[in-house]
Amino acid sequence: PQHRLSLTVLGAPTERGAQQASTQEAYDLVGNNYYNPNWGWQNGKRRNARVRDYHEPLAMLNYTFDITDRTQLNVATSLRFGQNGYSALTWYGGPDPRPDYYRYLPSYYPNTTTGAWLQEAWMANTNNIRYINWDNLYMINRNQPENELYGEGHRSINMIEERHTDQLDWNFYTQFSHLFKDNSKLNGGLNVRRNRTEYYSEVKDLLGGDYWVDIDKFAERDLGIDIISYQNNMDYYEQYGRAPIARVGDKYSYDYYANVFNGRGWLQYDFSLNNLQIGLGAELGYAALWRHGIWRKGLFYENSKGDSDLLDYLTYKVKANFRYILSSAHNFEANIVYMQDAPSFQSAFVSPRTRNDVTPGVKAEKVFGVDASYNFRMGDFRARVSGYYTTFTDQTKVISYYDDVEATFSNFAMSGINKQHFGLEVAASVPLYEGLSLKGALSWGQYIYSNNPNYVQIQDNSAAVINQGKVYWKNKRVESTPQTAANIGLSYRSRNNIFASLDLNYYNNMYLSMSPLYRTDAVLTKPMLENPEMLEAIRGQEKFDAAYVLNASIGKNWYINRAYTLGFSLSVDNLLNNQNIKTGGYEQIRLLKNKEASTLTYQPFDSKYFYMFGTNYYLNLYFRF
């Protein structure tokens, strides 16, 4: 009776097609904000190039020991493993197969007959111009000449790769709790996590060809005379005198382990002083990150294979929670926390696909937060008012992209990113009649970048610094979340277990994800300095239009012999079928350089957007026993 042991094993193999953001020009040409450039027709069926295919089973063992009626020990360990792949088109030396590539759109040929023809072709979908031409990709591969160096067959120059992030994640957790006679409570525990994620790409479909030659196409183009420079796997090259060939299921391009270790111990003590409830907690930990390269890359012969330097950090957290009960109807809450945590692996290494180099300026991230609330409850009437303030400092971010100005693949590494969030929230539930309630909530916030972080732009093929300086983000808004939101709705629950709701949601102050490059001195030109409007056009931040959505739900359950429950719930979202609500997106980091009459200007690529789906529904049937 004092010991309980449980084992849980679960897994859910999942495959789904992925949506890709596109430009507003492409959406308008198609006449649909859900246009997806990832797919095309093949043998009369739709085929999506981007498919998420993953299966990550989890096994968890839990042990509970009731030492006494006031003392308990919990121990748990879990292991997560499996595969997580994400497919995408890739190509070598041929035309870009993506239908919405900027050179295939009318805007690339302004005021020309080519632009006018493309406009008509896109609107009429002439020859399926909007979609991937799978038949053409197969034809191109099958028409490639045979190469004696690589044996018989045709070399694919278009294929589908699958980018993997396969995790082996082990966790150990133990918690000890004791309730004292004065009802104060002590909790403590130890957590250990070891994660090893293998990042690699493999050939998924050669699209009619026989093999793929595994070389670095960007390095070959930039450093073509130096054969060593564009070898992805030098161990193979040194043994066989040529680059490896990859067939379906073979790894290619890159292969490395991201290693993370975390250990932490914590204590929390909860006690009361009359009407004041207090919780005090502290945590101390250690985190380590390191990269282990499986292949030796030609460009970075001495710095790509094996273990990188160890990045280790002291982590900690201190927090305090207060709750003052003024009466049965009124109480106040306040919380304060300060913590330091390690950066993520992907932000700690500047180009983990290729080498062991650490991101310049990477540090432990710090968070400070306070919040306070007033709660009121009288019968079924409830209300709450809250305020919060949070700061994030020393964050790091790395973006990898093709730089059209420098004509090379590069890594844009930012460090010392600071953010500040503060806001107010109000919510209430008002009973109206016989299970019918009026509910409402309002959230107003301001989430901003509070400084101008440092950046270093590094050429991926040489690790040479291209540009460095400041990213002028101060007072710009944090992206991809509404900073003002409101809800009002009716909720009904009857005595015979029928429940229904109708809600109107409002969103505002949502901003586009910014390109850091546009807000650096590297793109400043004389015309921009002389024309504030031109400067604002490239450095301003796009704000999405306000939006509202009407949602509804209904459900019921039945109790059978007091031992079983049968029920259903149906929810319908966006009842008004509004298909023009932007939910996110990003500025492309790429720029085009224009030089006319000795005047240099930069033209940003069009931004890409995601839209909320129109009316959609979800039906859930359940049986509990």
Side-chain angles (χ1 to χ4, degrees), residues 172-175 187-193 261-268 281-287 314-318:
F172 175 81
Y173 174 88
T174 180
Q175 176 181 320
N187 287 283
L190 176 68
N191 294 21
V192 178
R193 178 183 181 232
F261 174 82
N262 294 101
R264 62 189 181 97
W266 57 276
L267 282 172
Q268 178 159 329
E283 176 185 297
L284 186 63
Y286 170 80
L314 174 70
T315 65
Y316 56 85
K317 180 192 294 183
V318 290

Side-chain angles (χ1 to χ4, degrees), residues 313-515:
Y313 300 90
L314 174 70
T315 65
Y316 56 85
K317 180 192 294 183
V318 290
K319 64 176 183 177
N321 315 104
F322 305 93
R323 185 167 185 257
Y324 184 75
I325 302 174
L326 187 62
S327 69
S328 60
H330 308 273
N331 69 75
F332 300 88
E333 295 177 352
N335 305 283
I336 183 169
V337 63
Y338 182 78
M339 59 185 290
Q340 175 172 290
D341 206 355
S344 68
F345 178 90
Q346 289 300 319
S347 64
F349 291 88
V350 71
S351 181
R353 293 176 301 100
T354 63
R355 57 190 184 275
N356 289 331
D357 287 353
V358 175
T359 302
V362 65
K363 294 180 181 178
E365 302 175 356
K366 304 170 186 66
V367 179
F368 169 75
V370 293
D371 68 79
S373 302
Y374 164 68
N375 301 285
F376 174 78
R377 179 165 190 168
M378 183 171 290
D380 289 332
F381 177 80
R382 291 173 294 163
R384 177 182 178 94
V385 180
S386 302
Y388 59 91
Y389 175 83
T390 309
T391 62
F392 307 84
T393 56
D394 289 329
Q395 293 187 329
T396 308
K397 185 175 184 179
V398 178
I399 303 172
S400 298
Y401 70 104
Y402 182 79
D403 191 307
D404 296 86
V405 176
E406 301 292 338
T408 187
F409 196 77
S410 69
N411 306 292
F412 196 100
M414 291 182 288
S415 61
I417 303 171
N418 298 343
K419 294 186 288 190
Q420 176 182 280
H421 294 191
F422 63 87
L424 294 171
E425 296 175 347
V426 180
S429 176
V430 183
L432 297 177
Y433 177 77
E434 294 291 333
L436 182 65
S437 299
L438 175 67
K439 296 183 177 182
L442 172 65
S443 174
W444 172 87
Q446 183 169 293
Y447 315 149
I448 63 171
Y449 291 94
S450 55
N451 75 326
N452 295 322
N454 300 311
Y455 85 93
V456 179
Q457 185 183 355
I458 300 171
Q459 185 175 358
D460 196 55
N461 287 336
S462 67
V465 174
I466 300 173
N467 290 303
Q468 59 183 327
K470 292 284 187 181
V471 177
Y472 298 106
W473 270 6
K474 188 173 183 179
N475 294 326
K476 300 290 185 184
R477 296 296 186 104
V478 175
E479 65 280 356
S480 299
T481 182
Q483 300 188 17
T484 300
N487 161 270
I488 188 167
L490 293 171
S491 176
Y492 174 74
R493 180 175 289 273
S494 73
R495 293 179 179 178
N496 58 350
N497 300 312
I498 297 175
F499 48 90
S501 67
L502 182 67
D503 293 276
L504 180 65
N505 301 305
Y506 169 81
Y507 309 99
N508 201 358
N509 294 331
M510 189 170 178
Y511 294 82
L512 188 68
S513 179
M514 298 180 293
S515 162

Side-chain angles (χ1 to χ4, degrees), residues 19-266:
Q19 171 73 13
Q20 182 173 325
S22 194
T23 63
Q24 193 60 52
E25 179 186 10
Y27 291 138
D28 292 343
L29 288 168
V30 175
N32 191 323
N33 288 332
Y34 307 131
Y35 166 67
N36 186 357
N38 289 333
W39 68 268
W41 296 100
Q42 184 179 1
N43 296 327
K45 296 181 180 180
R46 290 175 178 166
R47 182 178 182 182
N48 195 335
R50 292 211 170 194
V51 176
R52 175 75 73 182
D53 189 355
Y54 58 94
H55 183 205
E56 295 182 316
L58 174 69
M60 181 168 56
L61 188 67
N62 293 78
Y63 168 65
T64 300
F65 177 25
D66 295 322
I67 302 171
T68 70
D69 60 347
R70 290 179 172 269
T71 308
Q72 188 180 79
L73 175 69
N74 287 279
V75 180
T77 186
S78 68
L79 182 68
R80 181 161 54 97
F81 55 97
Q83 291 190 329
N84 190 332
Y86 187 35
S87 67
L89 273 173
T90 190
W91 59 95
Y92 168 84
D96 193 318
R98 297 170 297 178
D100 65 341
Y101 181 54
Y102 75 102
R103 291 177 183 267
Y104 302 158
L105 295 174
S107 59
Y108 188 70
Y109 307 92
N111 304 317
T112 64
T113 54
T114 301
W117 179 87
L118 281 172
Q119 177 91 10
E120 293 180 5
W122 266 84
M123 295 183 72
N125 193 27
T126 304
N127 296 323
N128 278 326
I129 193 173
R130 302 170 179 174
Y131 305 111
I132 295 172
N133 190 333
W134 292 108
D135 293 337
N136 187 52
L137 298 183
Y138 275 79
M139 182 188 67
I140 291 173
N141 287 340
R142 287 168 176 161
N143 288 338
Q144 294 300 307
E146 296 192 13
N147 189 325
E148 294 182 0
L149 180 63
Y150 299 106
E152 295 182 359
H154 303 277
R155 174 182 180 177
S156 287
I157 64 170
N158 302 286
M159 73 147 173
I160 296 181
E161 64 175 337
E162 188 166 65
R163 301 162 187 166
H164 277 260
T165 55
D166 297 348
Q167 295 196 57
L168 188 62
D169 188 87
W170 174 75
N171 286 268
F172 175 81
Y173 174 88
T174 180
Q175 176 181 320
F176 174 86
S177 62
H178 179 74
L179 182 65
F180 295 96
K181 292 181 179 180
D182 61 356
N183 286 327
S184 61
K185 189 174 184 180
L186 179 68
N187 287 283
L190 176 68
N191 294 21
V192 178
R193 178 183 181 232
R194 174 71 170 89
N195 180 283
R196 191 199 72 180
T197 301
E198 184 178 7
Y199 289 83
Y200 64 93
S201 197
E202 71 176 18
V203 178
K204 186 175 183 179
D205 192 331
L206 288 166
L207 302 180
D210 296 297
Y211 60 86
W212 180 268
V213 179
D214 185 13
I215 59 174
D216 185 330
K217 63 181 181 181
F218 292 107
E220 182 189 37
R221 191 198 60 186
D222 295 347
L223 309 164
I225 299 177
D226 183 4
I227 298 177
I228 300 299
S229 68
Y230 51 85
Q231 300 302 319
N232 285 323
N233 189 339
M234 277 300 299
D235 295 332
Y236 186 98
Y237 179 83
E238 290 174 343
Q239 183 174 357
Y240 297 101
R242 62 172 175 83
I245 61 173
R247 305 185 191 276
V248 173
D250 291 342
K251 296 178 181 178
Y252 93 105
S253 186
Y254 61 92
D255 191 5
Y256 68 93
Y257 290 129
N259 293 282
V260 178
F261 174 82
N262 294 101
R264 62 189 181 97
W266 57 276

Side-chain angles (χ1 to χ4, degrees), residues 183-185 268-281 319-324 334-335:
N183 286 327
S184 61
K185 189 174 184 180
Q268 178 159 329
Y269 183 55
D270 299 299
F271 61 98
S272 299
L273 297 174
N274 297 321
N275 290 345
L276 180 63
Q277 299 174 356
I278 302 173
L280 301 175
K319 64 176 183 177
N321 315 104
F322 305 93
R323 185 167 185 257
Y324 184 75
N335 305 283

Side-chain angles (χ1 to χ4, degrees), residues 558-623:
W558 294 267
Y559 295 111
I560 305 172
N561 296 330
R562 298 185 178 182
Y564 310 101
T565 304
L566 175 66
F568 79 93
S569 62
L570 172 65
S571 63
V572 183
D573 295 335
N574 198 354
L575 278 167
L576 301 180
N577 198 28
N578 188 340
Q579 299 184 14
N580 296 307
I581 301 174
K582 291 177 181 174
T583 59
Y586 56 91
E587 296 174 341
Q588 298 191 69
I589 200 168
R590 300 173 67 179
L591 286 167
L592 287 177
K593 181 166 61 174
N594 300 320
K595 191 170 184 180
E596 298 179 3
S598 300
T599 300
L600 176 65
T601 60
Y602 293 105
Q603 178 186 342
F605 279 52
D606 288 346
S607 299
K608 294 194 172 185
Y609 303 101
F610 291 103
Y611 281 85
M612 178 183 290
F613 284 123
T615 303
N616 58 91
Y617 60 88
Y618 180 83
L619 175 64
N620 180 37
L621 305 174
Y622 53 89
F623 179 66

